[in-house]
Amino acid sequence: MKKSLYHIETEYLTIINQVEELDGELTPELEEQLTINQNELQSKSIAYLEFIGSKEALNIRVTDEIKRLQAIKKSNDNLVSNLKNRLLDAVKLYGDFTVGLTKFGTRKSSSIHVEDVNSLPKSLKVVKVTEEADKKAIKLVLQAGGSIEGCEIVQNINLKIN
């Protein structure tokens, strides 16, 4: 039966507890269990490492594919925009026309252009505010021995694979 990393860890802790109950005496049976447990841990860790590597490689390929598809989309958007502008130029030059069941013409619309938002009265402006913590500045204050309520430097432990 294949064991998960969780089960290997649980068995290891059980063995360590048994050793502690025997005042640190390591019996041949416990030593054998520890050896088997270590071998299982190494085997499972290698399997995890291989799986992590394959998923990271897949993510790189997915990211590359996303970039490729975004480039195709941008190219298509530019082409569509250029073709629409050429059709608009043709309608402006020749007037409205029909091809088969499709009619080409123009319609009027309006939009608002504001040169300087700052010159508008407050009643005609919308203020959007977003606040974020300046984590770099907070870190500098805390590292210098300062205190900020609700802030602390948290030490993380990250996996390192060489």
Side-chain angles (χ1 to χ4, degrees):
M1 172 178 88
K2 293 201 177 213
K3 296 179 186 173
S4 69
L5 198 52
Y6 172 79
H7 286 105
I8 293 169
E9 292 170 358
T10 303
E11 283 182 6
Y12 177 76
L13 292 174
T14 302
I15 295 168
I16 295 301
N17 285 336
Q18 289 174 354
V19 171
E20 287 175 356
E21 288 173 4
L22 295 172
D23 296 324
E25 185 180 327
L26 192 60
T27 65
E29 295 84 20
L30 289 176
E31 189 174 349
E32 182 182 344
Q33 287 178 354
L34 275 174
T35 302
I36 291 171
N37 191 274
Q38 286 288 79
N39 290 340
E40 290 172 337
L41 175 65
Q42 290 175 1
S43 173
K44 187 59 72 170
S45 296
I46 294 299
Y48 273 40
L49 183 60
E50 289 172 358
F51 188 74
I52 289 168
S54 71
K55 289 302 177 186
E56 286 175 338
L58 176 62
N59 284 344
I60 290 169
R61 290 193 309 270
V62 167
T63 299
D64 291 345
E65 184 66 8
I66 288 170
K67 288 177 185 175
R68 185 185 73 81
L69 292 172
Q70 286 173 331
I72 291 171
K73 182 184 181 302
K74 183 177 180 182
S75 175
N76 286 340
D77 287 344
N78 289 338
L79 177 61
V80 166
S81 178
N82 287 336
L83 293 174
K84 284 182 178 180
N85 285 333
R86 287 185 183 174
L87 278 172
L88 177 60
D89 290 342
V91 171
K92 286 179 182 176
L93 182 63
Y94 298 107
D96 294 359
F97 61 93
T98 302
V99 177
L101 299 174
T102 305
K103 295 179 183 179
F104 295 89
T106 59
R107 64 177 167 78
K108 290 187 177 188
S109 66
S110 62
S111 63
I112 305 299
H113 172 75
V114 178
E115 285 186 26
D116 183 17
V117 174
N118 294 324
S119 66
L120 296 173
K122 285 189 176 192
S123 63
L124 298 177
K125 293 194 278 187
V126 175
V127 177
K128 297 180 181 179
V129 178
T130 58
E131 291 183 315
E132 291 183 8
D134 186 349
K135 292 184 178 182
K136 289 181 182 178
I138 293 170
K139 184 177 183 181
L140 290 174
V141 170
L142 294 175
Q143 284 177 334
S147 175
I148 303 171
E149 186 176 330
C151 297
E152 64 179 329
I153 295 178
V154 177
Q155 296 297 324
N156 298 316
I157 297 176
N158 299 306
L159 178 63
K160 180 177 105 175
I161 301 172
N162 291 330

mmCIF file of all heavy atoms in Angstrom, residues 52-101:
data_model
loop_
_atom_site.group_PDB
_atom_site.id
_atom_site.type_symbol
_atom_site.label_atom_id
_atom_site.label_comp_id
_atom_site.label_asym_id
_atom_site.label_seq_id
_atom_site.Cartn_x
_atom_site.Cartn_y
_atom_site.Cartn_z
ATOM 1 N N ILE A 52 5.814 18.189 -8.883
ATOM 2 C CA ILE A 52 5.923 19.654 -8.821
ATOM 3 C C ILE A 52 6.602 20.163 -10.085
ATOM 4 O O ILE A 52 6.150 21.125 -10.707
ATOM 5 C CB ILE A 52 6.699 20.095 -7.557
ATOM 6 C CG1 ILE A 52 5.853 19.862 -6.313
ATOM 7 C CG2 ILE A 52 7.132 21.546 -7.660
ATOM 8 C CD1 ILE A 52 6.631 19.993 -5.002
ATOM 9 N N GLY A 53 7.686 19.516 -10.487
ATOM 10 C CA GLY A 53 8.407 19.923 -11.691
ATOM 11 C C GLY A 53 7.538 19.842 -12.931
ATOM 12 O O GLY A 53 7.563 20.751 -13.776
ATOM 13 N N SER A 54 6.752 18.776 -13.057
ATOM 14 C CA SER A 54 5.904 18.643 -14.244
ATOM 15 C C SER A 54 4.810 19.702 -14.251
ATOM 16 O O SER A 54 4.484 20.261 -15.299
ATOM 17 C CB SER A 54 5.297 17.240 -14.329
ATOM 18 O OG SER A 54 4.317 17.052 -13.327
ATOM 19 N N LYS A 55 4.253 20.020 -13.091
ATOM 20 C CA LYS A 55 3.202 21.048 -13.017
ATOM 21 C C LYS A 55 3.784 22.436 -13.284
ATOM 22 O O LYS A 55 3.153 23.258 -13.943
ATOM 23 C CB LYS A 55 2.488 21.027 -11.665
ATOM 24 C CG LYS A 55 1.598 19.818 -11.479
ATOM 25 C CD LYS A 55 0.546 19.759 -12.572
ATOM 26 C CE LYS A 55 -0.308 18.531 -12.462
ATOM 27 N NZ LYS A 55 -1.243 18.394 -13.588
ATOM 28 N N GLU A 56 4.994 22.707 -12.787
ATOM 29 C CA GLU A 56 5.630 23.993 -13.064
ATOM 30 C C GLU A 56 5.926 24.130 -14.552
ATOM 31 O O GLU A 56 5.736 25.197 -15.138
ATOM 32 C CB GLU A 56 6.906 24.155 -12.240
ATOM 33 C CG GLU A 56 6.634 24.428 -10.775
ATOM 34 C CD GLU A 56 7.883 24.473 -9.910
ATOM 35 O OE1 GLU A 56 8.923 23.895 -10.306
ATOM 36 O OE2 GLU A 56 7.816 25.068 -8.824
ATOM 37 N N ALA A 57 6.388 23.061 -15.181
ATOM 38 C CA ALA A 57 6.665 23.087 -16.619
ATOM 39 C C ALA A 57 5.368 23.304 -17.404
ATOM 40 O O ALA A 57 5.344 24.080 -18.371
ATOM 41 C CB ALA A 57 7.336 21.783 -17.060
ATOM 42 N N LEU A 58 4.294 22.658 -16.970
ATOM 43 C CA LEU A 58 2.994 22.850 -17.616
ATOM 44 C C LEU A 58 2.542 24.301 -17.475
ATOM 45 O O LEU A 58 2.052 24.901 -18.433
ATOM 46 C CB LEU A 58 1.948 21.909 -17.016
ATOM 47 C CG LEU A 58 0.516 22.080 -17.540
ATOM 48 C CD1 LEU A 58 0.453 21.807 -19.036
ATOM 49 C CD2 LEU A 58 -0.439 21.176 -16.782
ATOM 50 N N ASN A 59 2.727 24.877 -16.297
ATOM 51 C CA ASN A 59 2.333 26.271 -16.085
ATOM 52 C C ASN A 59 3.107 27.216 -16.983
ATOM 53 O O ASN A 59 2.565 28.207 -17.480
ATOM 54 C CB ASN A 59 2.499 26.665 -14.618
ATOM 55 C CG ASN A 59 1.405 26.105 -13.739
ATOM 56 O OD1 ASN A 59 0.367 25.675 -14.222
ATOM 57 N ND2 ASN A 59 1.641 26.112 -12.450
ATOM 58 N N ILE A 60 4.384 26.929 -17.211
ATOM 59 C CA ILE A 60 5.191 27.754 -18.119
ATOM 60 C C ILE A 60 4.632 27.660 -19.537
ATOM 61 O O ILE A 60 4.481 28.670 -20.235
ATOM 62 C CB ILE A 60 6.678 27.332 -18.073
ATOM 63 C CG1 ILE A 60 7.290 27.733 -16.725
ATOM 64 C CG2 ILE A 60 7.462 27.935 -19.232
ATOM 65 C CD1 ILE A 60 8.666 27.149 -16.469
ATOM 66 N N ARG A 61 4.293 26.432 -19.959
ATOM 67 C CA ARG A 61 3.715 26.258 -21.298
ATOM 68 C C ARG A 61 2.361 26.964 -21.408
ATOM 69 O O ARG A 61 2.057 27.569 -22.442
ATOM 70 C CB ARG A 61 3.598 24.775 -21.632
ATOM 71 C CG ARG A 61 4.943 24.100 -21.857
ATOM 72 C CD ARG A 61 4.831 22.718 -22.496
ATOM 73 N NE ARG A 61 3.916 21.806 -21.864
ATOM 74 C CZ ARG A 61 4.226 20.954 -20.889
ATOM 75 N NH1 ARG A 61 5.459 20.911 -20.429
ATOM 76 N NH2 ARG A 61 3.325 20.137 -20.385
ATOM 77 N N VAL A 62 1.551 26.896 -20.348
ATOM 78 C CA VAL A 62 0.247 27.568 -20.348
ATOM 79 C C VAL A 62 0.443 29.079 -20.452
ATOM 80 O O VAL A 62 -0.247 29.758 -21.222
ATOM 81 C CB VAL A 62 -0.566 27.200 -19.083
ATOM 82 C CG1 VAL A 62 -1.767 28.103 -18.900
ATOM 83 C CG2 VAL A 62 -1.017 25.742 -19.146
ATOM 84 N N THR A 63 1.389 29.625 -19.677
ATOM 85 C CA THR A 63 1.672 31.062 -19.728
ATOM 86 C C THR A 63 2.111 31.469 -21.126
ATOM 87 O O THR A 63 1.654 32.495 -21.653
ATOM 88 C CB THR A 63 2.759 31.433 -18.699
ATOM 89 O OG1 THR A 63 2.287 31.103 -17.391
ATOM 90 C CG2 THR A 63 3.113 32.902 -18.753
ATOM 91 N N ASP A 64 2.979 30.686 -21.743
ATOM 92 C CA ASP A 64 3.430 30.976 -23.105
ATOM 93 C C ASP A 64 2.259 30.930 -24.091
ATOM 94 O O ASP A 64 2.163 31.764 -24.995
ATOM 95 C CB ASP A 64 4.519 29.997 -23.547
ATOM 96 C CG ASP A 64 5.828 30.206 -22.799
ATOM 97 O OD1 ASP A 64 5.991 31.264 -22.158
ATOM 98 O OD2 ASP A 64 6.684 29.289 -22.842
ATOM 99 N N GLU A 65 1.364 29.962 -23.911
ATOM 100 C CA GLU A 65 0.202 29.839 -24.798
ATOM 101 C C GLU A 65 -0.743 31.028 -24.612
ATOM 102 O O GLU A 65 -1.291 31.553 -25.583
ATOM 103 C CB GLU A 65 -0.538 28.518 -24.538
ATOM 104 C CG GLU A 65 -1.696 28.253 -25.482
ATOM 105 C CD GLU A 65 -1.296 28.034 -26.937
ATOM 106 O OE1 GLU A 65 -0.097 27.933 -27.247
ATOM 107 O OE2 GLU A 65 -2.206 27.992 -27.780
ATOM 108 N N ILE A 66 -0.914 31.467 -23.372
ATOM 109 C CA ILE A 66 -1.754 32.642 -23.108
ATOM 110 C C ILE A 66 -1.182 33.860 -23.826
ATOM 111 O O ILE A 66 -1.916 34.619 -24.465
ATOM 112 C CB ILE A 66 -1.879 32.902 -21.588
ATOM 113 C CG1 ILE A 66 -2.769 31.831 -20.937
ATOM 114 C CG2 ILE A 66 -2.424 34.294 -21.298
ATOM 115 C CD1 ILE A 66 -2.756 31.849 -19.416
ATOM 116 N N LYS A 67 0.145 34.045 -23.735
ATOM 117 C CA LYS A 67 0.790 35.175 -24.410
ATOM 118 C C LYS A 67 0.602 35.078 -25.921
ATOM 119 O O LYS A 67 0.341 36.087 -26.599
ATOM 120 C CB LYS A 67 2.275 35.224 -24.070
ATOM 121 C CG LYS A 67 2.565 35.666 -22.655
ATOM 122 C CD LYS A 67 4.051 35.626 -22.354
ATOM 123 C CE LYS A 67 4.334 35.954 -20.897
ATOM 124 N NZ LYS A 67 5.760 35.812 -20.574
ATOM 125 N N ARG A 68 0.728 33.869 -26.458
ATOM 126 C CA ARG A 68 0.563 33.671 -27.907
ATOM 127 C C ARG A 68 -0.859 34.017 -28.330
ATOM 128 O O ARG A 68 -1.076 34.734 -29.305
ATOM 129 C CB ARG A 68 0.892 32.226 -28.280
ATOM 130 C CG ARG A 68 0.880 31.938 -29.770
ATOM 131 C CD ARG A 68 1.089 30.465 -30.060
ATOM 132 N NE ARG A 68 -0.054 29.658 -29.748
ATOM 133 C CZ ARG A 68 -1.122 29.522 -30.549
ATOM 134 N NH1 ARG A 68 -1.172 30.156 -31.707
ATOM 135 N NH2 ARG A 68 -2.133 28.750 -30.197
ATOM 136 N N LEU A 69 -1.846 33.550 -27.552
ATOM 137 C CA LEU A 69 -3.244 33.820 -27.881
ATOM 138 C C LEU A 69 -3.584 35.310 -27.726
ATOM 139 O O LEU A 69 -4.347 35.866 -28.521
ATOM 140 C CB LEU A 69 -4.177 32.964 -27.020
ATOM 141 C CG LEU A 69 -4.130 31.460 -27.300
ATOM 142 C CD1 LEU A 69 -4.946 30.693 -26.266
ATOM 143 C CD2 LEU A 69 -4.604 31.155 -28.714
ATOM 144 N N GLN A 70 -2.997 35.960 -26.702
ATOM 145 C CA GLN A 70 -3.227 37.401 -26.531
ATOM 146 C C GLN A 70 -2.659 38.180 -27.720
ATOM 147 O O GLN A 70 -3.265 39.156 -28.159
ATOM 148 C CB GLN A 70 -2.604 37.891 -25.219
ATOM 149 C CG GLN A 70 -3.384 37.473 -23.988
ATOM 150 C CD GLN A 70 -2.672 37.827 -22.687
ATOM 151 O OE1 GLN A 70 -1.442 37.893 -22.638
ATOM 152 N NE2 GLN A 70 -3.455 38.028 -21.635
ATOM 153 N N ALA A 71 -1.519 37.744 -28.230
ATOM 154 C CA ALA A 71 -0.927 38.406 -29.404
ATOM 155 C C ALA A 71 -1.827 38.229 -30.625
ATOM 156 O O ALA A 71 -2.026 39.177 -31.402
ATOM 157 C CB ALA A 71 0.470 37.852 -29.673
ATOM 158 N N ILE A 72 -2.396 37.033 -30.788
ATOM 159 C CA ILE A 72 -3.319 36.792 -31.908
ATOM 160 C C ILE A 72 -4.554 37.675 -31.765
ATOM 161 O O ILE A 72 -5.017 38.288 -32.726
ATOM 162 C CB ILE A 72 -3.717 35.300 -31.978
ATOM 163 C CG1 ILE A 72 -2.518 34.451 -32.411
ATOM 164 C CG2 ILE A 72 -4.888 35.085 -32.929
ATOM 165 C CD1 ILE A 72 -2.744 32.948 -32.303
ATOM 166 N N LYS A 73 -5.088 37.767 -30.552
ATOM 167 C CA LYS A 73 -6.273 38.595 -30.295
ATOM 168 C C LYS A 73 -5.980 40.054 -30.610
ATOM 169 O O LYS A 73 -6.774 40.741 -31.260
ATOM 170 C CB LYS A 73 -6.745 38.456 -28.851
ATOM 171 C CG LYS A 73 -7.998 39.258 -28.525
ATOM 172 C CD LYS A 73 -8.368 39.159 -27.059
ATOM 173 C CE LYS A 73 -9.619 39.934 -26.718
ATOM 174 N NZ LYS A 73 -9.583 41.343 -27.008
ATOM 175 N N LYS A 74 -4.831 40.554 -30.159
ATOM 176 C CA LYS A 74 -4.467 41.949 -30.412
ATOM 177 C C LYS A 74 -4.351 42.202 -31.915
ATOM 178 O O LYS A 74 -4.835 43.216 -32.432
ATOM 179 C CB LYS A 74 -3.152 42.292 -29.709
ATOM 180 C CG LYS A 74 -2.749 43.732 -29.859
ATOM 181 C CD LYS A 74 -1.486 44.042 -29.092
ATOM 182 C CE LYS A 74 -1.110 45.511 -29.276
ATOM 183 N NZ LYS A 74 0.120 45.842 -28.589
ATOM 184 N N SER A 75 -3.737 41.267 -32.618
ATOM 185 C CA SER A 75 -3.599 41.385 -34.065
ATOM 186 C C SER A 75 -4.972 41.399 -34.732
ATOM 187 O O SER A 75 -5.234 42.228 -35.625
ATOM 188 C CB SER A 75 -2.758 40.224 -34.591
ATOM 189 O OG SER A 75 -2.709 40.240 -35.994
ATOM 190 N N ASN A 76 -5.859 40.509 -34.300
ATOM 191 C CA ASN A 76 -7.209 40.459 -34.868
ATOM 192 C C ASN A 76 -7.983 41.740 -34.552
ATOM 193 O O ASN A 76 -8.701 42.261 -35.411
ATOM 194 C CB ASN A 76 -7.983 39.246 -34.347
ATOM 195 C CG ASN A 76 -7.519 37.951 -34.973
ATOM 196 O OD1 ASN A 76 -6.895 37.947 -36.032
ATOM 197 N ND2 ASN A 76 -7.814 36.843 -34.319
ATOM 198 N N ASP A 77 -7.864 42.251 -33.317
ATOM 199 C CA ASP A 77 -8.534 43.499 -32.939
ATOM 200 C C ASP A 77 -8.066 44.654 -33.828
ATOM 201 O O ASP A 77 -8.878 45.469 -34.281
ATOM 202 C CB ASP A 77 -8.289 43.836 -31.462
ATOM 203 C CG ASP A 77 -9.052 42.946 -30.505
ATOM 204 O OD1 ASP A 77 -10.013 42.259 -30.943
ATOM 205 O OD2 ASP A 77 -8.696 42.934 -29.302
ATOM 206 N N ASN A 78 -6.746 44.728 -34.055
ATOM 207 C CA ASN A 78 -6.204 45.789 -34.916
ATOM 208 C C ASN A 78 -6.725 45.659 -36.348
ATOM 209 O O ASN A 78 -7.083 46.658 -36.972
ATOM 210 C CB ASN A 78 -4.674 45.762 -34.909
ATOM 211 C CG ASN A 78 -4.099 46.216 -33.591
ATOM 212 O OD1 ASN A 78 -4.745 46.909 -32.818
ATOM 213 N ND2 ASN A 78 -2.868 45.808 -33.322
ATOM 214 N N LEU A 79 -6.767 44.428 -36.856
ATOM 215 C CA LEU A 79 -7.252 44.201 -38.212
ATOM 216 C C LEU A 79 -8.714 44.604 -38.337
ATOM 217 O O LEU A 79 -9.111 45.297 -39.277
ATOM 218 C CB LEU A 79 -7.053 42.733 -38.607
ATOM 219 C CG LEU A 79 -7.580 42.331 -39.987
ATOM 220 C CD1 LEU A 79 -6.879 43.136 -41.082
ATOM 221 C CD2 LEU A 79 -7.405 40.847 -40.207
ATOM 222 N N VAL A 80 -9.541 44.194 -37.367
ATOM 223 C CA VAL A 80 -10.969 44.537 -37.383
ATOM 224 C C VAL A 80 -11.142 46.050 -37.336
ATOM 225 O O VAL A 80 -11.944 46.628 -38.084
ATOM 226 C CB VAL A 80 -11.707 43.850 -36.205
ATOM 227 C CG1 VAL A 80 -13.082 44.440 -35.992
ATOM 228 C CG2 VAL A 80 -11.810 42.348 -36.448
ATOM 229 N N SER A 81 -10.387 46.715 -36.476
ATOM 230 C CA SER A 81 -10.474 48.177 -36.365
ATOM 231 C C SER A 81 -10.098 48.849 -37.679
ATOM 232 O O SER A 81 -10.787 49.776 -38.150
ATOM 233 C CB SER A 81 -9.563 48.658 -35.236
ATOM 234 O OG SER A 81 -9.599 50.052 -35.135
ATOM 235 N N ASN A 82 -9.023 48.382 -38.302
ATOM 236 C CA ASN A 82 -8.600 48.950 -39.587
ATOM 237 C C ASN A 82 -9.642 48.728 -40.678
ATOM 238 O O ASN A 82 -9.926 49.636 -41.478
ATOM 239 C CB ASN A 82 -7.255 48.360 -40.021
ATOM 240 C CG ASN A 82 -6.103 48.883 -39.193
ATOM 241 O OD1 ASN A 82 -6.184 49.968 -38.617
ATOM 242 N ND2 ASN A 82 -5.030 48.113 -39.119
ATOM 243 N N LEU A 83 -10.227 47.531 -40.735
ATOM 244 C CA LEU A 83 -11.241 47.240 -41.755
ATOM 245 C C LEU A 83 -12.494 48.089 -41.543
ATOM 246 O O LEU A 83 -13.086 48.597 -42.505
ATOM 247 C CB LEU A 83 -11.583 45.751 -41.757
ATOM 248 C CG LEU A 83 -10.461 44.811 -42.221
ATOM 249 C CD1 LEU A 83 -10.869 43.359 -42.053
ATOM 250 C CD2 LEU A 83 -10.057 45.104 -43.661
ATOM 251 N N LYS A 84 -12.909 48.275 -40.289
ATOM 252 C CA LYS A 84 -14.073 49.121 -39.992
ATOM 253 C C LYS A 84 -13.795 50.566 -40.399
ATOM 254 O O LYS A 84 -14.672 51.240 -40.958
ATOM 255 C CB LYS A 84 -14.431 49.053 -38.504
ATOM 256 C CG LYS A 84 -15.142 47.787 -38.105
ATOM 257 C CD LYS A 84 -15.513 47.824 -36.624
ATOM 258 C CE LYS A 84 -16.277 46.592 -36.185
ATOM 259 N NZ LYS A 84 -16.627 46.650 -34.752
ATOM 260 N N ASN A 85 -12.585 51.041 -40.118
ATOM 261 C CA ASN A 85 -12.229 52.408 -40.511
ATOM 262 C C ASN A 85 -12.239 52.568 -42.032
ATOM 263 O O ASN A 85 -12.665 53.607 -42.549
ATOM 264 C CB ASN A 85 -10.866 52.803 -39.940
ATOM 265 C CG ASN A 85 -10.936 53.095 -38.454
ATOM 266 O OD1 ASN A 85 -11.975 53.484 -37.937
ATOM 267 N ND2 ASN A 85 -9.823 52.896 -37.757
ATOM 268 N N ARG A 86 -11.798 51.572 -42.759
ATOM 269 C CA ARG A 86 -11.819 51.640 -44.235
ATOM 270 C C ARG A 86 -13.253 51.661 -44.757
ATOM 271 O O ARG A 86 -13.570 52.394 -45.689
ATOM 272 C CB ARG A 86 -11.041 50.470 -44.839
ATOM 273 C CG ARG A 86 -9.556 50.620 -44.670
ATOM 274 C CD ARG A 86 -8.794 49.527 -45.358
ATOM 275 N NE ARG A 86 -7.372 49.677 -45.100
ATOM 276 C CZ ARG A 86 -6.468 48.813 -45.474
ATOM 277 N NH1 ARG A 86 -6.825 47.715 -46.132
ATOM 278 N NH2 ARG A 86 -5.195 49.021 -45.215
ATOM 279 N N LEU A 87 -14.117 50.836 -44.104
ATOM 280 C CA LEU A 87 -15.525 50.864 -44.508
ATOM 281 C C LEU A 87 -16.145 52.224 -44.197
ATOM 282 O O LEU A 87 -16.915 52.758 -45.006
ATOM 283 C CB LEU A 87 -16.316 49.754 -43.804
ATOM 284 C CG LEU A 87 -16.236 48.368 -44.422
ATOM 285 C CD1 LEU A 87 -16.904 47.341 -43.517
ATOM 286 C CD2 LEU A 87 -16.905 48.364 -45.794
ATOM 287 N N LEU A 88 -15.826 52.799 -43.049
ATOM 288 C CA LEU A 88 -16.345 54.115 -42.687
ATOM 289 C C LEU A 88 -15.861 55.168 -43.696
ATOM 290 O O LEU A 88 -16.652 56.012 -44.148
ATOM 291 C CB LEU A 88 -15.902 54.503 -41.273
ATOM 292 C CG LEU A 88 -16.317 55.891 -40.787
ATOM 293 C CD1 LEU A 88 -17.840 56.036 -40.783
ATOM 294 C CD2 LEU A 88 -15.739 56.171 -39.411
ATOM 295 N N ASP A 89 -14.597 55.097 -44.081
ATOM 296 C CA ASP A 89 -14.066 56.026 -45.076
ATOM 297 C C ASP A 89 -14.812 55.882 -46.403
ATOM 298 O O ASP A 89 -15.121 56.883 -47.078
ATOM 299 C CB ASP A 89 -12.562 55.801 -45.299
ATOM 300 C CG ASP A 89 -11.717 56.233 -44.101
ATOM 301 O OD1 ASP A 89 -12.219 57.002 -43.255
ATOM 302 O OD2 ASP A 89 -10.543 55.778 -44.016
ATOM 303 N N ALA A 90 -15.123 54.643 -46.784
ATOM 304 C CA ALA A 90 -15.849 54.402 -48.033
ATOM 305 C C ALA A 90 -17.255 54.989 -47.960
ATOM 306 O O ALA A 90 -17.730 55.608 -48.929
ATOM 307 C CB ALA A 90 -15.911 52.905 -48.332
ATOM 308 N N VAL A 91 -17.934 54.811 -46.812
ATOM 309 C CA VAL A 91 -19.284 55.358 -46.660
ATOM 310 C C VAL A 91 -19.232 56.885 -46.686
ATOM 311 O O VAL A 91 -20.087 57.536 -47.294
ATOM 312 C CB VAL A 91 -19.948 54.840 -45.362
ATOM 313 C CG1 VAL A 91 -21.250 55.567 -45.086
ATOM 314 C CG2 VAL A 91 -20.206 53.348 -45.454
ATOM 315 N N LYS A 92 -18.234 57.470 -46.040
ATOM 316 C CA LYS A 92 -18.095 58.932 -46.048
ATOM 317 C C LYS A 92 -17.867 59.443 -47.470
ATOM 318 O O LYS A 92 -18.378 60.499 -47.866
ATOM 319 C CB LYS A 92 -16.934 59.368 -45.157
ATOM 320 C CG LYS A 92 -17.205 59.269 -43.675
ATOM 321 C CD LYS A 92 -15.962 59.706 -42.911
ATOM 322 C CE LYS A 92 -16.102 59.596 -41.420
ATOM 323 N NZ LYS A 92 -14.847 59.939 -40.718
ATOM 324 N N LEU A 93 -17.083 58.714 -48.256
ATOM 325 C CA LEU A 93 -16.745 59.135 -49.614
ATOM 326 C C LEU A 93 -17.906 58.905 -50.589
ATOM 327 O O LEU A 93 -18.267 59.787 -51.359
ATOM 328 C CB LEU A 93 -15.497 58.386 -50.092
ATOM 329 C CG LEU A 93 -14.974 58.735 -51.481
ATOM 330 C CD1 LEU A 93 -14.534 60.196 -51.529
ATOM 331 C CD2 LEU A 93 -13.809 57.839 -51.853
ATOM 332 N N TYR A 94 -18.547 57.734 -50.530
ATOM 333 C CA TYR A 94 -19.565 57.370 -51.523
ATOM 334 C C TYR A 94 -20.992 57.507 -51.007
ATOM 335 O O TYR A 94 -21.933 57.378 -51.771
ATOM 336 C CB TYR A 94 -19.350 55.920 -51.992
ATOM 337 C CG TYR A 94 -18.020 55.717 -52.683
ATOM 338 C CD1 TYR A 94 -16.990 55.029 -52.069
ATOM 339 C CD2 TYR A 94 -17.805 56.222 -53.968
ATOM 340 C CE1 TYR A 94 -15.778 54.838 -52.701
ATOM 341 C CE2 TYR A 94 -16.593 56.038 -54.604
ATOM 342 C CZ TYR A 94 -15.590 55.344 -53.959
ATOM 343 O OH TYR A 94 -14.392 55.170 -54.591
ATOM 344 N N GLY A 95 -21.169 57.703 -49.726
ATOM 345 C CA GLY A 95 -22.517 57.756 -49.162
ATOM 346 C C GLY A 95 -22.989 56.353 -48.801
ATOM 347 O O GLY A 95 -22.295 55.356 -49.018
ATOM 348 N N ASP A 96 -24.213 56.271 -48.243
ATOM 349 C CA ASP A 96 -24.771 54.974 -47.855
ATOM 350 C C ASP A 96 -24.909 54.068 -49.070
ATOM 351 O O ASP A 96 -25.230 54.530 -50.175
ATOM 352 C CB ASP A 96 -26.150 55.158 -47.210
ATOM 353 C CG ASP A 96 -26.084 55.906 -45.888
ATOM 354 O OD1 ASP A 96 -24.968 56.258 -45.470
ATOM 355 O OD2 ASP A 96 -27.135 56.125 -45.275
ATOM 356 N N PHE A 97 -24.675 52.774 -48.877
ATOM 357 C CA PHE A 97 -24.840 51.821 -49.975
ATOM 358 C C PHE A 97 -25.234 50.461 -49.418
ATOM 359 O O PHE A 97 -25.117 50.186 -48.233
ATOM 360 C CB PHE A 97 -23.572 51.726 -50.842
ATOM 361 C CG PHE A 97 -22.334 51.263 -50.107
ATOM 362 C CD1 PHE A 97 -21.984 49.912 -50.085
ATOM 363 C CD2 PHE A 97 -21.497 52.179 -49.477
ATOM 364 C CE1 PHE A 97 -20.835 49.494 -49.429
ATOM 365 C CE2 PHE A 97 -20.355 51.763 -48.823
ATOM 366 C CZ PHE A 97 -20.011 50.426 -48.789
ATOM 367 N N THR A 98 -25.756 49.609 -50.299
ATOM 368 C CA THR A 98 -26.220 48.285 -49.919
ATOM 369 C C THR A 98 -25.509 47.254 -50.779
ATOM 370 O O THR A 98 -25.367 47.427 -51.994
ATOM 371 C CB THR A 98 -27.744 48.160 -50.119
ATOM 372 O OG1 THR A 98 -28.385 49.169 -49.345
ATOM 373 C CG2 THR A 98 -28.251 46.798 -49.683
ATOM 374 N N VAL A 99 -25.091 46.171 -50.136
ATOM 375 C CA VAL A 99 -24.490 45.047 -50.844
ATOM 376 C C VAL A 99 -25.268 43.815 -50.402
ATOM 377 O O VAL A 99 -25.212 43.422 -49.238
ATOM 378 C CB VAL A 99 -22.989 44.883 -50.518
ATOM 379 C CG1 VAL A 99 -22.420 43.658 -51.212
ATOM 380 C CG2 VAL A 99 -22.208 46.125 -50.885
ATOM 381 N N GLY A 100 -26.049 43.249 -51.337
ATOM 382 C CA GLY A 100 -26.892 42.113 -50.974
ATOM 383 C C GLY A 100 -27.917 42.553 -49.942
ATOM 384 O O GLY A 100 -28.677 43.491 -50.169
ATOM 385 N N LEU A 101 -27.944 41.902 -48.803
ATOM 386 C CA LEU A 101 -28.883 42.262 -47.741
ATOM 387 C C LEU A 101 -28.253 43.155 -46.679
ATOM 388 O O LEU A 101 -28.888 43.505 -45.687
ATOM 389 C CB LEU A 101 -29.421 40.987 -47.076
ATOM 390 C CG LEU A 101 -30.200 40.026 -47.980
ATOM 391 C CD1 LEU A 101 -30.545 38.756 -47.228
ATOM 392 C CD2 LEU A 101 -31.447 40.695 -48.529
#
